[in-house]
Amino acid sequence: MTTSAYRDIRDSLSQLYLEDDRPWLVGFSGGKDSTMLASLIFDAVLSVPIPDRKKTYIGSLHRHAR
C-alpha cells in the first residue's frame, strides 16, 4: 500500500470516527489484515484532536488454550 493510499484511508476513518457518537470496538486477530486495520484505526484516532476523541477499544479475538 502506498503512503498516499494509507493516508487517504486513515483520513476517511478519522471522518467516520468524528461522525459516529458511539465508542468503537475493533476486533484484532493478529493476522496481516487485522494488524493493518488496527494500525489504521490507531493512527486515525491519534489524528483527531484530543477533545474530540471518545473511547476506542482494540481487542484480541483469540482464545488462549490452557
Side-chain angles (χ1 to χ4, degrees):
M1 177 180 296
T2 66
T3 303
S4 175
Y6 186 92
R7 191 176 310 122
D8 290 345
I9 294 168
R10 184 205 59 208
D11 293 346
S12 293
L13 284 169
S14 295
Q15 187 62 39
L16 289 170
Y17 179 83
L18 288 169
E19 293 171 0
D20 191 351
D21 293 331
R22 301 170 294 176
W24 278 21
L25 173 61
V26 181
F28 175 71
S29 69
K32 292 179 284 191
D33 295 336
S34 71
T35 299
M36 177 59 78
L37 179 60
S39 179
L40 279 163
I41 300 264
F42 192 77
D43 287 347
V45 171
L46 289 178
S47 74
V48 171
I50 291 173
D52 296 329
R53 293 181 192 168
K54 58 186 163 279
K55 290 186 178 183
T56 304
Y57 305 92
I58 298 178
S60 173
L61 300 175
H62 284 287
R63 292 184 183 197
H64 299 284
R66 293 182 187 201

Short mmCIF file of all heavy atoms in Angstrom, two decimals:
data_model
loop_
_atom_site.label_atom_id
_atom_site.label_comp_id
_atom_site.label_asym_id
_atom_site.label_seq_id
_atom_site.Cartn_x
_atom_site.Cartn_y
_atom_site.Cartn_z
N MET A 1 0.85 -1.16 0.00
CA MET A 1 0.00 0.00 0.00
C MET A 1 0.90 1.23 0.00
O MET A 1 1.85 1.32 0.77
CB MET A 1 -0.89 -0.01 1.25
CG MET A 1 -1.77 1.21 1.38
SD MET A 1 -2.83 1.24 2.84
CE MET A 1 -3.88 -0.14 2.55
N THR A 2 0.58 2.18 -0.85
CA THR A 2 1.38 3.39 -0.90
C THR A 2 1.06 4.29 0.29
O THR A 2 0.01 4.17 0.93
CB THR A 2 1.11 4.18 -2.19
OG1 THR A 2 -0.24 4.66 -2.17
CG2 THR A 2 1.34 3.31 -3.43
N THR A 3 1.98 5.20 0.58
CA THR A 3 1.79 6.13 1.69
C THR A 3 0.53 6.97 1.45
O THR A 3 -0.24 7.24 2.37
CB THR A 3 3.02 7.05 1.83
OG1 THR A 3 4.17 6.23 2.03
CG2 THR A 3 2.86 8.02 2.97
N SER A 4 0.30 7.37 0.22
CA SER A 4 -0.87 8.17 -0.12
C SER A 4 -2.17 7.40 0.12
O SER A 4 -3.14 7.95 0.66
CB SER A 4 -0.79 8.62 -1.58
OG SER A 4 -1.95 9.28 -1.96
N ALA A 5 -2.20 6.12 -0.27
CA ALA A 5 -3.40 5.31 -0.06
C ALA A 5 -3.66 5.12 1.43
O ALA A 5 -4.80 5.22 1.89
CB ALA A 5 -3.25 3.96 -0.75
N TYR A 6 -2.62 4.86 2.19
CA TYR A 6 -2.75 4.70 3.64
C TYR A 6 -3.31 5.98 4.25
O TYR A 6 -4.23 5.94 5.06
CB TYR A 6 -1.38 4.36 4.25
CG TYR A 6 -1.43 4.03 5.72
CD1 TYR A 6 -1.59 2.73 6.15
CD2 TYR A 6 -1.32 5.04 6.68
CE1 TYR A 6 -1.64 2.42 7.51
CE2 TYR A 6 -1.37 4.75 8.03
CZ TYR A 6 -1.52 3.44 8.44
OH TYR A 6 -1.58 3.15 9.78
N ARG A 7 -2.76 7.11 3.86
CA ARG A 7 -3.21 8.40 4.39
C ARG A 7 -4.67 8.66 4.01
O ARG A 7 -5.45 9.15 4.85
CB ARG A 7 -2.31 9.52 3.86
CG ARG A 7 -2.53 10.84 4.56
CD ARG A 7 -1.56 11.92 4.11
NE ARG A 7 -0.18 11.49 4.13
CZ ARG A 7 0.63 11.49 3.06
NH1 ARG A 7 0.20 11.89 1.89
NH2 ARG A 7 1.87 11.07 3.17
N ASP A 8 -5.06 8.35 2.78
CA ASP A 8 -6.45 8.55 2.36
C ASP A 8 -7.42 7.70 3.18
O ASP A 8 -8.48 8.18 3.59
CB ASP A 8 -6.61 8.23 0.87
CG ASP A 8 -5.93 9.23 -0.04
OD1 ASP A 8 -5.57 10.35 0.44
OD2 ASP A 8 -5.74 8.92 -1.23
N ILE A 9 -7.06 6.45 3.40
CA ILE A 9 -7.91 5.56 4.20
C ILE A 9 -7.97 6.04 5.64
O ILE A 9 -9.03 6.10 6.26
CB ILE A 9 -7.42 4.10 4.10
CG1 ILE A 9 -7.57 3.58 2.68
CG2 ILE A 9 -8.19 3.21 5.09
CD1 ILE A 9 -6.85 2.28 2.41
N ARG A 10 -6.82 6.41 6.19
CA ARG A 10 -6.78 6.93 7.57
C ARG A 10 -7.65 8.17 7.71
O ARG A 10 -8.42 8.30 8.66
CB ARG A 10 -5.34 7.27 7.95
CG ARG A 10 -5.23 7.73 9.41
CD ARG A 10 -4.04 8.60 9.68
NE ARG A 10 -4.09 9.79 8.85
CZ ARG A 10 -3.02 10.46 8.45
NH1 ARG A 10 -1.82 10.05 8.77
NH2 ARG A 10 -3.14 11.54 7.72
N ASP A 11 -7.58 9.08 6.74
CA ASP A 11 -8.39 10.29 6.79
C ASP A 11 -9.87 9.99 6.69
O ASP A 11 -10.69 10.61 7.37
CB ASP A 11 -7.96 11.27 5.70
CG ASP A 11 -6.55 11.82 5.93
OD1 ASP A 11 -6.00 11.67 7.04
OD2 ASP A 11 -6.00 12.39 4.97
N SER A 12 -10.24 9.01 5.87
CA SER A 12 -11.64 8.59 5.76
C SER A 12 -12.13 8.00 7.09
O SER A 12 -13.25 8.29 7.53
CB SER A 12 -11.82 7.56 4.65
OG SER A 12 -11.59 8.13 3.41
N LEU A 13 -11.29 7.17 7.72
CA LEU A 13 -11.64 6.60 9.02
C LEU A 13 -11.78 7.69 10.08
O LEU A 13 -12.68 7.63 10.92
CB LEU A 13 -10.61 5.57 9.45
CG LEU A 13 -10.67 4.22 8.75
CD1 LEU A 13 -9.43 3.40 9.08
CD2 LEU A 13 -11.93 3.47 9.13
N SER A 14 -10.91 8.68 10.05
CA SER A 14 -10.99 9.79 11.00
C SER A 14 -12.31 10.52 10.86
O SER A 14 -12.95 10.87 11.86
CB SER A 14 -9.84 10.79 10.79
OG SER A 14 -8.61 10.18 11.06
N GLN A 15 -12.74 10.74 9.63
CA GLN A 15 -14.01 11.42 9.38
C GLN A 15 -15.18 10.58 9.89
O GLN A 15 -16.09 11.09 10.55
CB GLN A 15 -14.17 11.73 7.88
CG GLN A 15 -15.38 12.59 7.59
CD GLN A 15 -15.29 13.96 8.25
OE1 GLN A 15 -14.23 14.56 8.32
NE2 GLN A 15 -16.41 14.44 8.75
N LEU A 16 -15.17 9.28 9.59
CA LEU A 16 -16.22 8.39 10.09
C LEU A 16 -16.24 8.38 11.62
O LEU A 16 -17.30 8.38 12.24
CB LEU A 16 -16.00 6.97 9.57
CG LEU A 16 -16.27 6.74 8.10
CD1 LEU A 16 -15.78 5.35 7.68
CD2 LEU A 16 -17.75 6.88 7.81
N TYR A 17 -15.06 8.37 12.23
CA TYR A 17 -14.93 8.37 13.68
C TYR A 17 -15.58 9.62 14.27
O TYR A 17 -16.31 9.54 15.26
CB TYR A 17 -13.45 8.31 14.02
CG TYR A 17 -13.12 8.33 15.49
CD1 TYR A 17 -13.17 7.17 16.24
CD2 TYR A 17 -12.74 9.51 16.12
CE1 TYR A 17 -12.85 7.16 17.59
CE2 TYR A 17 -12.42 9.52 17.46
CZ TYR A 17 -12.48 8.34 18.19
OH TYR A 17 -12.15 8.37 19.52
N LEU A 18 -15.34 10.77 13.66
CA LEU A 18 -15.91 12.01 14.16
C LEU A 18 -17.42 12.07 13.99
O LEU A 18 -18.12 12.70 14.79
CB LEU A 18 -15.25 13.21 13.46
CG LEU A 18 -13.82 13.49 13.87
CD1 LEU A 18 -13.18 14.51 12.92
CD2 LEU A 18 -13.75 13.97 15.30
N GLU A 19 -17.94 11.42 12.96
CA GLU A 19 -19.38 11.44 12.68
C GLU A 19 -20.17 10.44 13.53
O GLU A 19 -21.39 10.52 13.60
CB GLU A 19 -19.62 11.16 11.19
CG GLU A 19 -19.10 12.25 10.29
CD GLU A 19 -19.16 11.88 8.82
OE1 GLU A 19 -19.61 10.75 8.50
OE2 GLU A 19 -18.72 12.70 7.99
N ASP A 20 -19.48 9.49 14.16
CA ASP A 20 -20.13 8.44 14.93
C ASP A 20 -20.00 8.74 16.42
O ASP A 20 -18.89 8.89 16.93
CB ASP A 20 -19.47 7.09 14.60
CG ASP A 20 -20.22 5.90 15.13
OD1 ASP A 20 -21.19 6.07 15.91
OD2 ASP A 20 -19.82 4.77 14.79
N ASP A 21 -21.13 8.84 17.11
CA ASP A 21 -21.11 9.18 18.54
C ASP A 21 -20.81 7.98 19.44
O ASP A 21 -20.57 8.15 20.63
CB ASP A 21 -22.46 9.78 18.96
CG ASP A 21 -22.69 11.12 18.30
OD1 ASP A 21 -21.70 11.82 18.01
OD2 ASP A 21 -23.86 11.47 18.07
N ARG A 22 -20.85 6.79 18.87
CA ARG A 22 -20.65 5.58 19.69
C ARG A 22 -19.17 5.28 19.91
O ARG A 22 -18.34 5.63 19.07
CB ARG A 22 -21.29 4.37 18.99
CG ARG A 22 -22.77 4.53 18.75
CD ARG A 22 -23.28 3.45 17.85
NE ARG A 22 -22.66 3.62 16.52
CZ ARG A 22 -22.85 2.79 15.51
NH1 ARG A 22 -23.61 1.72 15.67
NH2 ARG A 22 -22.28 3.00 14.36
N PRO A 23 -18.83 4.62 21.02
CA PRO A 23 -17.45 4.13 21.17
C PRO A 23 -17.17 3.10 20.08
O PRO A 23 -18.09 2.42 19.62
CB PRO A 23 -17.44 3.45 22.55
CG PRO A 23 -18.65 3.95 23.24
CD PRO A 23 -19.65 4.31 22.18
N TRP A 24 -15.93 2.99 19.68
CA TRP A 24 -15.56 2.00 18.67
C TRP A 24 -14.94 0.79 19.34
O TRP A 24 -14.11 0.91 20.23
CB TRP A 24 -14.58 2.61 17.67
CG TRP A 24 -15.23 3.42 16.59
CD1 TRP A 24 -16.47 3.99 16.61
CD2 TRP A 24 -14.66 3.75 15.33
NE1 TRP A 24 -16.70 4.67 15.45
CE2 TRP A 24 -15.61 4.53 14.64
CE3 TRP A 24 -13.45 3.47 14.73
CZ2 TRP A 24 -15.37 5.03 13.36
CZ3 TRP A 24 -13.22 3.97 13.47
CH2 TRP A 24 -14.17 4.73 12.78
N LEU A 25 -15.34 -0.38 18.86
CA LEU A 25 -14.76 -1.65 19.31
C LEU A 25 -14.24 -2.36 18.06
O LEU A 25 -15.00 -2.65 17.15
CB LEU A 25 -15.82 -2.51 20.01
CG LEU A 25 -15.41 -3.92 20.39
CD1 LEU A 25 -14.24 -3.89 21.36
CD2 LEU A 25 -16.58 -4.67 20.97
N VAL A 26 -12.95 -2.61 18.03
CA VAL A 26 -12.30 -3.21 16.86
C VAL A 26 -11.73 -4.57 17.26
O VAL A 26 -10.96 -4.66 18.22
CB VAL A 26 -11.17 -2.30 16.33
CG1 VAL A 26 -10.51 -2.91 15.11
CG2 VAL A 26 -11.70 -0.91 16.03
N GLY A 27 -12.11 -5.61 16.54
CA GLY A 27 -11.57 -6.94 16.80
C GLY A 27 -10.21 -7.11 16.14
O GLY A 27 -9.98 -6.64 15.02
N PHE A 28 -9.30 -7.76 16.83
CA PHE A 28 -7.94 -7.94 16.34
C PHE A 28 -7.55 -9.41 16.49
O PHE A 28 -7.57 -9.95 17.59
CB PHE A 28 -6.99 -7.05 17.17
CG PHE A 28 -5.54 -7.23 16.84
CD1 PHE A 28 -5.02 -6.77 15.65
CD2 PHE A 28 -4.70 -7.86 17.73
CE1 PHE A 28 -3.67 -6.92 15.35
CE2 PHE A 28 -3.35 -8.02 17.45
CZ PHE A 28 -2.85 -7.55 16.25
N SER A 29 -7.22 -10.05 15.36
CA SER A 29 -6.85 -11.46 15.41
C SER A 29 -5.35 -11.68 15.38
O SER A 29 -4.87 -12.77 15.68
CB SER A 29 -7.49 -12.20 14.23
OG SER A 29 -6.87 -11.80 13.01
N GLY A 30 -4.58 -10.67 14.98
CA GLY A 30 -3.13 -10.80 14.90
C GLY A 30 -2.64 -11.14 13.51
O GLY A 30 -1.44 -11.17 13.28
N GLY A 31 -3.56 -11.37 12.58
CA GLY A 31 -3.16 -11.63 11.20
C GLY A 31 -2.79 -10.35 10.47
O GLY A 31 -2.89 -9.24 11.02
N LYS A 32 -2.37 -10.50 9.22
CA LYS A 32 -1.94 -9.34 8.45
C LYS A 32 -3.06 -8.32 8.26
O LYS A 32 -2.83 -7.12 8.40
CB LYS A 32 -1.41 -9.78 7.08
CG LYS A 32 -0.11 -10.55 7.16
CD LYS A 32 0.36 -10.97 5.78
CE LYS A 32 -0.51 -12.15 5.37
NZ LYS A 32 -0.06 -12.86 4.19
N ASP A 33 -4.25 -8.78 7.93
CA ASP A 33 -5.36 -7.87 7.67
C ASP A 33 -5.78 -7.11 8.92
O ASP A 33 -5.95 -5.88 8.89
CB ASP A 33 -6.57 -8.61 7.09
CG ASP A 33 -6.29 -9.20 5.73
OD1 ASP A 33 -5.39 -8.69 5.03
OD2 ASP A 33 -6.98 -10.16 5.35
N SER A 34 -5.94 -7.82 10.03
CA SER A 34 -6.38 -7.13 11.24
C SER A 34 -5.27 -6.25 11.82
O SER A 34 -5.56 -5.22 12.44
CB SER A 34 -6.91 -8.11 12.29
OG SER A 34 -5.89 -8.87 12.86
N THR A 35 -4.02 -6.60 11.58
CA THR A 35 -2.91 -5.75 12.02
C THR A 35 -2.93 -4.43 11.24
O THR A 35 -2.76 -3.35 11.82
CB THR A 35 -1.56 -6.46 11.84
OG1 THR A 35 -1.56 -7.64 12.65
CG2 THR A 35 -0.40 -5.57 12.21
N MET A 36 -3.18 -4.51 9.95
CA MET A 36 -3.27 -3.29 9.13
C MET A 36 -4.46 -2.45 9.57
O MET A 36 -4.35 -1.23 9.72
CB MET A 36 -3.38 -3.64 7.64
CG MET A 36 -3.56 -2.43 6.74
SD MET A 36 -2.22 -1.22 6.84
CE MET A 36 -1.00 -2.01 5.86
N LEU A 37 -5.60 -3.08 9.80
CA LEU A 37 -6.78 -2.35 10.24
C LEU A 37 -6.55 -1.70 11.60
O LEU A 37 -6.89 -0.53 11.81
CB LEU A 37 -8.01 -3.26 10.30
CG LEU A 37 -9.30 -2.58 10.76
CD1 LEU A 37 -9.68 -1.44 9.85
CD2 LEU A 37 -10.42 -3.59 10.86
N ALA A 38 -5.97 -2.42 12.54
CA ALA A 38 -5.68 -1.87 13.87
C ALA A 38 -4.74 -0.67 13.74
O ALA A 38 -4.93 0.35 14.42
CB ALA A 38 -5.09 -2.94 14.78
N SER A 39 -3.74 -0.77 12.89
CA SER A 39 -2.81 0.33 12.68
C SER A 39 -3.52 1.55 12.10
O SER A 39 -3.30 2.68 12.54
CB SER A 39 -1.69 -0.12 11.74
OG SER A 39 -0.79 0.92 11.50
N LEU A 40 -4.39 1.32 11.12
CA LEU A 40 -5.15 2.42 10.52
C LEU A 40 -6.06 3.09 11.55
O LEU A 40 -6.12 4.32 11.63
CB LEU A 40 -5.99 1.91 9.35
CG LEU A 40 -5.25 1.75 8.03
CD1 LEU A 40 -6.04 0.85 7.09
CD2 LEU A 40 -5.00 3.11 7.40
N ILE A 41 -6.77 2.29 12.34
CA ILE A 41 -7.67 2.85 13.36
C ILE A 41 -6.87 3.63 14.40
O ILE A 41 -7.24 4.73 14.79
CB ILE A 41 -8.49 1.72 14.04
CG1 ILE A 41 -9.31 0.98 13.01
CG2 ILE A 41 -9.31 2.26 15.19
CD1 ILE A 41 -10.71 1.38 12.82
N PHE A 42 -5.77 3.06 14.85
CA PHE A 42 -4.93 3.72 15.85
C PHE A 42 -4.45 5.07 15.32
O PHE A 42 -4.55 6.10 16.01
CB PHE A 42 -3.74 2.81 16.18
CG PHE A 42 -2.96 3.23 17.38
CD1 PHE A 42 -3.43 2.98 18.66
CD2 PHE A 42 -1.73 3.86 17.23
CE1 PHE A 42 -2.70 3.37 19.78
CE2 PHE A 42 -1.00 4.24 18.34
CZ PHE A 42 -1.49 4.01 19.61
N ASP A 43 -3.93 5.10 14.10
CA ASP A 43 -3.46 6.34 13.50
C ASP A 43 -4.60 7.33 13.27
O ASP A 43 -4.43 8.54 13.44
CB ASP A 43 -2.73 6.08 12.18
CG ASP A 43 -1.37 5.44 12.37
OD1 ASP A 43 -0.87 5.42 13.51
OD2 ASP A 43 -0.81 4.97 11.36
N ALA A 44 -5.78 6.82 12.87
CA ALA A 44 -6.93 7.69 12.64
C ALA A 44 -7.36 8.37 13.93
O ALA A 44 -7.61 9.58 13.96
CB ALA A 44 -8.10 6.89 12.05
N VAL A 45 -7.42 7.61 15.01
CA VAL A 45 -7.82 8.19 16.31
C VAL A 45 -6.78 9.20 16.77
O VAL A 45 -7.13 10.28 17.27
CB VAL A 45 -8.04 7.08 17.36
CG1 VAL A 45 -8.24 7.68 18.74
CG2 VAL A 45 -9.23 6.22 16.98
N LEU A 46 -5.50 8.89 16.61
CA LEU A 46 -4.45 9.83 17.02
C LEU A 46 -4.46 11.12 16.20
O LEU A 46 -3.98 12.16 16.68
CB LEU A 46 -3.08 9.17 16.93
CG LEU A 46 -2.79 8.11 17.98
CD1 LEU A 46 -1.41 7.49 17.75
CD2 LEU A 46 -2.89 8.68 19.39
N SER A 47 -5.01 11.08 15.00
CA SER A 47 -5.06 12.29 14.16
C SER A 47 -6.22 13.21 14.54
O SER A 47 -6.28 14.35 14.07
CB SER A 47 -5.15 11.91 12.68
OG SER A 47 -6.43 11.42 12.35
N VAL A 48 -7.12 12.73 15.38
CA VAL A 48 -8.26 13.52 15.85
C VAL A 48 -7.82 14.33 17.06
O VAL A 48 -7.12 13.80 17.94
CB VAL A 48 -9.44 12.58 16.22
CG1 VAL A 48 -10.56 13.33 16.90
CG2 VAL A 48 -9.95 11.86 14.98
N PRO A 49 -8.20 15.61 17.13
CA PRO A 49 -7.84 16.41 18.31
C PRO A 49 -8.33 15.74 19.60
O PRO A 49 -9.42 15.16 19.64
CB PRO A 49 -8.54 17.75 18.08
CG PRO A 49 -8.76 17.81 16.60
CD PRO A 49 -8.95 16.39 16.15
N ILE A 50 -7.54 15.83 20.66
CA ILE A 50 -7.84 15.14 21.92
C ILE A 50 -9.26 15.43 22.44
O ILE A 50 -9.95 14.50 22.84
CB ILE A 50 -6.77 15.46 22.98
CG1 ILE A 50 -5.45 14.80 22.58
CG2 ILE A 50 -7.19 15.01 24.37
CD1 ILE A 50 -4.26 15.18 23.45
N PRO A 51 -9.74 16.68 22.40
CA PRO A 51 -11.09 16.92 22.93
C PRO A 51 -12.20 16.20 22.15
O PRO A 51 -13.29 15.99 22.67
CB PRO A 51 -11.26 18.44 22.82
CG PRO A 51 -9.88 18.99 22.70
CD PRO A 51 -9.06 17.91 22.04
N ASP A 52 -11.92 15.81 20.90
CA ASP A 52 -12.92 15.15 20.06
C ASP A 52 -12.86 13.63 20.12
O ASP A 52 -13.67 12.95 19.49
CB ASP A 52 -12.76 15.60 18.61
CG ASP A 52 -13.01 17.08 18.44
OD1 ASP A 52 -13.84 17.64 19.19
OD2 ASP A 52 -12.38 17.69 17.56
N ARG A 53 -11.90 13.09 20.86
CA ARG A 53 -11.75 11.64 20.92
C ARG A 53 -12.76 11.03 21.89
O ARG A 53 -13.19 11.66 22.84
CB ARG A 53 -10.33 11.26 21.37
CG ARG A 53 -9.28 11.62 20.37
CD ARG A 53 -7.92 11.22 20.85
NE ARG A 53 -6.88 11.83 20.03
CZ ARG A 53 -5.61 11.83 20.35
NH1 ARG A 53 -5.20 11.26 21.46
NH2 ARG A 53 -4.74 12.41 19.55
N LYS A 54 -13.13 9.79 21.61
CA LYS A 54 -14.01 9.03 22.50
C LYS A 54 -13.36 7.68 22.75
O LYS A 54 -12.33 7.36 22.17
CB LYS A 54 -15.39 8.88 21.88
CG LYS A 54 -15.36 8.18 20.53
CD LYS A 54 -16.74 8.19 19.91
CE LYS A 54 -16.69 7.90 18.45
NZ LYS A 54 -16.35 9.00 17.60
N LYS A 55 -13.98 6.90 23.60
CA LYS A 55 -13.40 5.59 23.91
C LYS A 55 -13.33 4.73 22.66
O LYS A 55 -14.28 4.65 21.89
CB LYS A 55 -14.22 4.89 24.99
CG LYS A 55 -14.07 5.57 26.32
CD LYS A 55 -14.76 4.80 27.41
CE LYS A 55 -14.54 5.53 28.73
NZ LYS A 55 -15.11 4.82 29.85
N THR A 56 -12.19 4.10 22.48
CA THR A 56 -11.95 3.21 21.36
C THR A 56 -11.24 1.98 21.91
O THR A 56 -10.26 2.11 22.63
CB THR A 56 -11.08 3.89 20.29
OG1 THR A 56 -11.70 5.11 19.89
CG2 THR A 56 -10.89 2.99 19.08
N TYR A 57 -11.74 0.81 21.58
CA TYR A 57 -11.19 -0.44 22.10
C TYR A 57 -10.70 -1.29 20.94
O TYR A 57 -11.41 -1.47 19.96
CB TYR A 57 -12.25 -1.23 22.86
CG TYR A 57 -12.90 -0.44 23.97
CD1 TYR A 57 -14.07 0.28 23.74
CD2 TYR A 57 -12.35 -0.42 25.25
CE1 TYR A 57 -14.68 1.01 24.76
CE2 TYR A 57 -12.95 0.31 26.27
CZ TYR A 57 -14.11 1.03 26.01
OH TYR A 57 -14.70 1.75 27.01
N ILE A 58 -9.51 -1.80 21.05
CA ILE A 58 -8.99 -2.77 20.09
C ILE A 58 -8.68 -4.02 20.91
O ILE A 58 -7.82 -4.00 21.78
CB ILE A 58 -7.73 -2.25 19.36
CG1 ILE A 58 -8.07 -1.00 18.55
CG2 ILE A 58 -7.16 -3.35 18.46
CD1 ILE A 58 -6.92 -0.37 17.83
N GLY A 59 -9.44 -5.08 20.66
CA GLY A 59 -9.32 -6.27 21.46
C GLY A 59 -8.98 -7.50 20.65
O GLY A 59 -9.34 -7.63 19.49
N SER A 60 -8.29 -8.41 21.28
CA SER A 60 -7.90 -9.67 20.64
C SER A 60 -9.09 -10.62 20.61
O SER A 60 -9.86 -10.70 21.57
CB SER A 60 -6.75 -10.31 21.43
OG SER A 60 -6.49 -11.60 20.91
N LEU A 61 -9.22 -11.34 19.53
CA LEU A 61 -10.30 -12.31 19.38
C LEU A 61 -9.84 -13.73 19.65
O LEU A 61 -10.59 -14.67 19.50
CB LEU A 61 -10.88 -12.21 17.96
CG LEU A 61 -11.47 -10.85 17.59
CD1 LEU A 61 -11.90 -10.85 16.14
CD2 LEU A 61 -12.64 -10.50 18.49
N HIS A 62 -8.58 -13.87 20.03
CA HIS A 62 -8.02 -15.21 20.27
C HIS A 62 -8.44 -15.74 21.63
O HIS A 62 -8.48 -15.01 22.62
CB HIS A 62 -6.49 -15.20 20.21
CG HIS A 62 -5.96 -15.12 18.82
ND1 HIS A 62 -6.01 -16.18 17.96
CD2 HIS A 62 -5.37 -14.11 18.14
CE1 HIS A 62 -5.47 -15.83 16.82
NE2 HIS A 62 -5.09 -14.58 16.91
N ARG A 63 -8.72 -17.01 21.67
CA ARG A 63 -8.91 -17.69 22.96
C ARG A 63 -7.64 -18.47 23.21
O ARG A 63 -7.18 -19.23 22.38
CB ARG A 63 -10.09 -18.64 22.91
CG ARG A 63 -11.39 -17.92 22.79
CD ARG A 63 -12.51 -18.91 22.85
NE ARG A 63 -13.75 -18.19 22.66
CZ ARG A 63 -14.91 -18.67 22.98
NH1 ARG A 63 -15.00 -19.89 23.47
NH2 ARG A 63 -16.00 -17.97 22.79
N HIS A 64 -7.07 -18.27 24.37
CA HIS A 64 -5.82 -18.93 24.68
C HIS A 64 -6.09 -20.31 25.30
O HIS A 64 -6.91 -20.45 26.20
CB HIS A 64 -5.00 -18.07 25.65
CG HIS A 64 -4.64 -16.75 25.06
ND1 HIS A 64 -3.65 -16.60 24.12
CD2 HIS A 64 -5.17 -15.51 25.24
CE1 HIS A 64 -3.57 -15.34 23.78
NE2 HIS A 64 -4.47 -14.64 24.43
N ALA A 65 -5.39 -21.29 24.79
CA ALA A 65 -5.52 -22.65 25.33
C ALA A 65 -4.87 -22.70 26.72
O ALA A 65 -3.87 -22.05 26.96
CB ALA A 65 -4.87 -23.66 24.40
N ARG A 66 -5.44 -23.49 27.58
CA ARG A 66 -4.86 -23.65 28.93
C ARG A 66 -4.22 -25.00 29.07
O ARG A 66 -4.52 -25.95 28.53
CB ARG A 66 -5.95 -23.52 29.98
CG ARG A 66 -6.49 -22.12 30.00
CD ARG A 66 -7.53 -22.00 31.07
NE ARG A 66 -8.14 -20.70 30.97
CZ ARG A 66 -8.77 -20.13 31.93
NH1 ARG A 66 -8.87 -20.72 33.09
NH2 ARG A 66 -9.31 -18.95 31.79
#
